[in-house]
Amino acid sequence: MSRLNPVSRASGGGVSVGQVLLHLLPAVFLFALFACVGLLHVTSRVLVVDMGYRLSKAEAEERSLIRENDRLKLELATLKNPARLEKLAREKLGMSMPAGSRVVALPAELPGKKRNVRVEARDARGVRVAERGAPH
């Protein structure tokens, strides 16, 4: 009874395409808004996961560098060992401890005072000795 026949719609008594689009426009905007919010949420989650992977990789690199630093500190301590240095000096460089009379104690230098230094090299039994000369 309230049904319109197709002829009356075509003649202008019915709903136009513009009116239908006008009624659908809020729904389309709402859908677009939800889609944008969803994309932003997914993007932020992807960025958080990516940052977590980068943080994990950086922590693993930190642990590796700390291990290498500890190894290098141990190697340095081993290389600076006085007993090892003395052994190398005796065996490879042919050095020996000087006699007590050959050891010269120098006075301590004051921080603000400059001194003229003269270096000499002597040959005594094949040993080169460097000495500081007296100030001029």
Side-chain angles (χ1 to χ4, degrees), residues 46-60:
V46 167
L47 291 174
V48 166
V49 169
D50 181 54
M51 189 58 68
Y53 283 134
R54 284 207 243 154
L55 180 63
S56 176
K57 183 179 177 184
E59 287 173 345

Side-chain angles (χ1 to χ4, degrees), residues 19-61:
Q19 289 175 335
V20 170
L21 289 178
L22 189 60
H23 286 293
L24 288 178
L25 192 60
V28 170
F29 279 136
L30 189 62
F31 176 76
L33 179 67
F34 283 140
C36 287
V37 168
L39 282 174
L40 287 174
H41 177 71
V42 169
T43 303
S44 68
R45 297 308 303 164
V46 167
L47 291 174
V48 166
V49 169
D50 181 54
M51 189 58 68
Y53 283 134
R54 284 207 243 154
L55 180 63
S56 176
K57 183 179 177 184
E59 287 173 345
E61 185 177 356

Side-chain angles (χ1 to χ4, degrees), residues 61-75:
E61 185 177 356
E62 177 195 21
R63 285 189 300 272
S64 171
L65 289 173
I66 287 173
R67 278 193 307 270
E68 184 174 355
N69 190 23
D70 290 343
R71 183 187 62 79
L72 290 172
K73 283 180 182 177
L74 179 64
E75 183 178 346

Side-chain angles (χ1 to χ4, degrees), residues 86-95:
E86 184 178 345
K87 181 180 175 187
L88 282 175
R90 287 181 191 275
E91 293 176 0
K92 293 202 178 199
L93 300 176
M95 299 174 108

